[in-house]
Amino acid sequence: MDDCVFCKIIKGELPSKKYYEDDLMIVIADINPKAAKHYLAIPKKHYRLFTEMTPEDAENLGKCIAKVGELAPSLGLENGYRLIVNQGEDGVQTVPHVHLHLLGGENLRLRRVALDD
């Protein structure tokens, strides 16, 4: 999608430090962190909502989630993490591209986390 900030990052049109990249996704740091460690795992294929996903997209998103589990220790999330996905206006999805928030690096029980994408 031409005006999607995440698509521009994926294409290299906007700068961002990539912590991981493969054929299906990238992992970058959130520019407005809500925890000691806050990353975004962004599928390379653009779709705004889960309801727009094809069965292949759903399978690939599952692969991305599995990869997040593998990457957790290298991202400083070895003691656990929280995954959050915002969907739609009521879910406060401000970037219209499905992505996963990975939060950790501290005990999140001690912190109330509200995400504004």
Side-chain angles (χ1 to χ4, degrees), residues 23-24 43-47 50-65:
D23 292 342
L24 298 177
K44 287 187 171 180
K45 182 174 179 190
H46 180 92
Y47 44 90
F50 290 150
T51 55
E52 297 174 358
M53 292 170 44
T54 66
E56 182 181 6
D57 295 336
E59 181 179 337
N60 287 339
L61 184 60
K63 291 176 183 176
C64 292
I65 292 169

Side-chain angles (χ1 to χ4, degrees), residues 49-115:
L49 302 168
F50 290 150
T51 55
E52 297 174 358
M53 292 170 44
T54 66
E56 182 181 6
D57 295 336
E59 181 179 337
N60 287 339
L61 184 60
K63 291 176 183 176
C64 292
I65 292 169
K67 180 55 76 173
V68 163
E70 292 175 28
L71 295 172
S74 67
L75 296 172
L77 304 172
E78 58 277 337
N79 289 327
Y81 54 93
R82 183 177 295 162
L83 286 177
I84 299 173
V85 179
N86 298 338
Q87 289 279 279
E89 186 177 332
D90 285 352
V92 194
Q93 182 184 16
T94 58
V95 179
H97 187 126
V98 166
H99 56 286
L100 308 170
H101 291 264
L102 292 78
L103 295 97
E106 64 182 307
N107 186 327
L108 295 174
R109 182 177 310 143
L110 303 175
R111 178 187 287 247
R112 181 184 164 129
V113 177
L115 294 179

